[in-house]
Each structure stands twice: as structure tokens, then as C-alpha cells.
Amino acid sequence: MTATTLDKPAVEDRTATSSPPPPRLLLAPPGTAPALIDGAWWPRSRDLTAELPALTTVLDPLWGRITHVTVNPTFWPVIPRRVPVQGHVVKVGWFKAEQDPHSLLLLSFTAGRWDLLVIPPETDAVTATRLMITATDPARSLTASDLVKEAGRFRVTAEAEAEAAWDSARVTVWDSEGGHDVRRTSQGGPTEAAIGRVPVPATGR
């Protein structure tokens, strides 16, 4: 199963920013070998009624009319039976045990089945971009859930490394501003010795 790379968002961001918004949909390059995931989709919410029309508007010309969609209900609070999209209606179903909770299965009227990684809406842009690139890598072999877990581990590691680098920078600044000498003084330097030698007045007899 192959797909086409799509670098533009399924729905255009309406707020002006200094840099272009990250894509909301990325599909595997054409001609790649069949894989567990055919692309990655980053919806803005968990509202299928609101999100599916924009997705199918992009996919219909590429894959043929999308007629059915299935999800795992774990992360979708409301699953409508039908969703009106541009020019037709998409039937929506769900499978709990049989379907990966982080995937969206689409059935096309002409092309067959496609599976997308669903990136959680609350994901930050950097992690979402990384997930999209990983999911559409020609050498990809992970499931949707495995991709999300891998991205989570990578984020935790990156945050820990950033925190360690920040701590190291603070120590460097502290030492460069004389903090190192202050610590040595507090641990028994010349000042402590001088205080210890203050004479004690003699007691008269």
C-alpha cells in the first residue's frame, strides 16, 4: 500500500505567524513498500464531526472517495455513526480490541484500505513534526502506538538533557562570578580560623 506525500495542512491556520504552521497531514511517499502506517494525521481536536470533513476533502482526490472510517473509542469521547463531508456521507465505526487506539482506518470507494497514525491534538509542534517524519519514513515498521511511545521517550530524554545542560550552565556562571571561592570559605577557610582565635578574657582571681 502506497500513498502520496502531502505537505500542506488539511485546514489552513487563520492566525498570522512569523513561520509557516506545521502540516496537519503527511502521507508516505509514492512507491514505498506496504507498511503498517500510510501516513500521519494531527487533528486539532477529538471531535470527529468537526475534523473528518477537512481530512476527506484532502484525501478524496488522492485515494478516491472515502466511504468508511473506523477508530478505537479509547481516545474518542463521541463517535458519530455518520459524518457529512463534501458531497457525501462517511460512515463511522469503531473497534476496541482489533484496532490500535492511535490509528484511524479509512476505506476508499476505489482504492481500498488506508491506515493513519493519529497524533494526539495536544501534542506540541516539534513532537508532532517528528512523528510525521517517522511515520512516513520508507523504512518504518512500528505500529501507531509504538510511534507515539517512542516520541514520548524521545521528548523525556530531550527534556532531561536540556535540564542537565541548564544546571551545568548555572554552575559555570556561579563559579565565574566567585561562587567557588565563597563555597571554599564557608567550608573552613581563613575567615573561620580567625574567628576561632579570638582571645578569651582571663578571669580574675
Side-chain angles (χ1 to χ4, degrees), residues 71-171:
V71 297
N72 184 308
T74 301
F75 297 115
W76 299 97
V78 177
I79 302 177
R81 294 178 62 87
R82 296 170 179 267
V83 175
V85 300
Q86 188 174 9
H88 63 287
V89 173
V90 172
K91 296 180 180 179
V92 183
W94 61 270
F95 297 99
K96 193 169 182 67
E98 299 87 348
Q99 185 165 343
D100 190 308
H102 290 287
S103 73
L104 180 80
L105 186 154
L106 304 101
L107 296 176
S108 168
F109 183 72
T110 58
R113 167 179 169 169
W114 307 87
D115 295 87
L116 296 179
L117 161 68
V118 179
I119 300 173
E122 65 276 10
T123 304
D124 63 273
V126 173
T127 302
T129 301
R130 176 180 173 80
L131 273 168
M132 288 188 178
I133 294 172
T134 305
T136 55
D137 187 330
R140 64 204 182 284
S141 60
L142 297 177
T143 66
S145 286
D146 286 340
L147 287 167
V148 172
K149 290 177 183 177
E150 181 186 60
R153 289 193 295 268
F154 180 84
R155 185 179 65 254
V156 169
T157 300
E159 290 174 351
E161 291 176 349
E163 182 65 24
W166 172 243
D167 288 343
S168 177
R170 284 188 294 183
V171 170

Side-chain angles (χ1 to χ4, degrees), residues 41-83:
W41 177 45
W42 185 25
R44 289 178 169 80
S45 71
R46 290 291 186 178
D47 184 348
L48 284 170
T49 301
E51 300 293 340
L52 282 181
L55 180 64
T56 58
T57 296
V58 175
L59 295 180
D60 280 357
L62 299 174
W63 294 350
R65 176 175 293 184
I66 303 299
T67 57
H68 293 77
V69 167
T70 66
V71 297
N72 184 308
T74 301
F75 297 115
W76 299 97
V78 177
I79 302 177
R81 294 178 62 87
R82 296 170 179 267
V83 175

Side-chain angles (χ1 to χ4, degrees), residues 159-191:
E159 290 174 351
E161 291 176 349
E163 182 65 24
W166 172 243
D167 288 343
S168 177
R170 284 188 294 183
V171 170
T172 301
V173 171
W174 170 263
D175 287 342
S176 69
E177 293 181 352
H180 186 65
D181 293 335
V182 172
R183 286 200 302 270
R184 290 179 58 188
T185 299
S186 65
Q187 293 172 359
T191 302

